[in-house]
Amino acid sequence: ADHMMDEAERRYYAGQYGDAIKIYDQVLRLEPSWPRAQEHRKQAEDYLKEGHIPAIALPPEAATAYGKAQSAARVGRYEAAASYLETAKGILRQSGITRWADGLDFENKLNAMIEAESVLKEGIHQFNQCQVDDAIATVDTAYQASGIPRHKDLADRYRQFKNQFQKISGVLYSGTT
């Protein structure tokens, strides 16, 4: 039972929950009241059912890829983050894990950030085409979707530009009829 428990734990901590459950069942046939085997078997089953897998319980390679995805996203490298996340998901699929709630949540947020960056680029293009009001509205939309402070800062700079332009126009055209 001890040897099987060691193997079950190794698979559990490697994120191989389906395999771990089978071995925990063997352990519990021999030692029905082993608390750690009961607890980890139930957790492994819950992880597979609900997809709520804590980062500490991810297979090491998946945890590394997920950590890289989070780091890349923090510095605004969203495409790289998406690639790392796909790597993590692939590793989990190979381990038999098909549902991963934290990964899905992160993927949804990441997709929203990628979309916000696309909207931001459109706003910059509009500004460069002298469509200042449209640019402000578009960059504000990017900020509302992402909450990224630099998007708000850019919209504020565009507003300052518009105000300065209006002041200059007012001075230049104040003497004409």
Side-chain angles (χ1 to χ4, degrees), residues 75-76 78 111-129 131-132 134-159:
V75 297
Y78 303 118
N111 287 336
M113 294 302 191
I114 290 169
E115 179 63 26
E117 285 296 308
S118 176
V119 170
L120 178 72
K121 288 177 184 175
E122 175 61 24
I124 292 169
H125 177 74
Q126 289 170 329
F127 184 81
N128 291 336
Q129 298 298 313
Q131 301 166 354
V132 178
D134 291 341
I136 292 169
T138 301
V139 174
D140 274 338
T141 299
Y143 172 66
Q144 291 167 2
S146 68
I148 297 173
R150 69 181 168 85
H151 295 177
K152 181 181 183 314
D153 294 344
L154 184 59
D156 290 344
R157 286 197 319 261
Y158 286 176
R159 280 187 196 85

Side-chain angles (χ1 to χ4, degrees), residues 8-24:
E9 296 285 87
R10 186 184 69 71
R11 293 186 185 223
Y12 174 85
Y13 287 110
Q16 299 169 347
Y17 302 114
D19 293 339
I21 289 169
K22 292 174 188 172
I23 299 170
Y24 284 130

Side-chain angles (χ1 to χ4, degrees), residues 91-107:
I91 293 166
L92 292 176
R93 279 191 297 275
Q94 290 174 354
S95 299
I97 300 169
T98 57
R99 296 185 63 199
W100 178 34
D102 290 345
L104 181 60
D105 290 345
F106 182 70
E107 183 174 35

Side-chain angles (χ1 to χ4, degrees), residues 25-114:
D25 287 344
Q26 293 173 359
V27 169
L28 290 169
R29 273 188 231 112
L30 297 172
E31 298 282 341
S33 61
W34 195 332
R36 192 174 79 216
Q38 293 169 344
E39 179 183 335
H40 283 189
R41 190 217 179 278
K42 181 176 180 345
Q43 286 175 342
E45 188 174 58
D46 290 346
Y47 293 158
L48 287 175
K49 283 181 186 173
E50 300 168 10
H52 294 288
I53 303 167
I56 194 166
L58 292 173
E61 300 85 14
T64 298
Y66 183 51
K68 287 179 179 181
Q70 291 175 314
S71 294
R74 275 192 292 277
V75 297
R77 296 179 50 234
Y78 303 118
E79 298 295 333
S83 177
Y84 286 126
L85 182 60
E86 281 304 312
T87 298
K89 288 169 41 181
I91 293 166
L92 292 176
R93 279 191 297 275
Q94 290 174 354
S95 299
I97 300 169
T98 57
R99 296 185 63 199
W100 178 34
D102 290 345
L104 181 60
D105 290 345
F106 182 70
E107 183 174 35
N108 290 337
K109 289 175 188 172
L110 192 56
N111 287 336
M113 294 302 191
I114 290 169

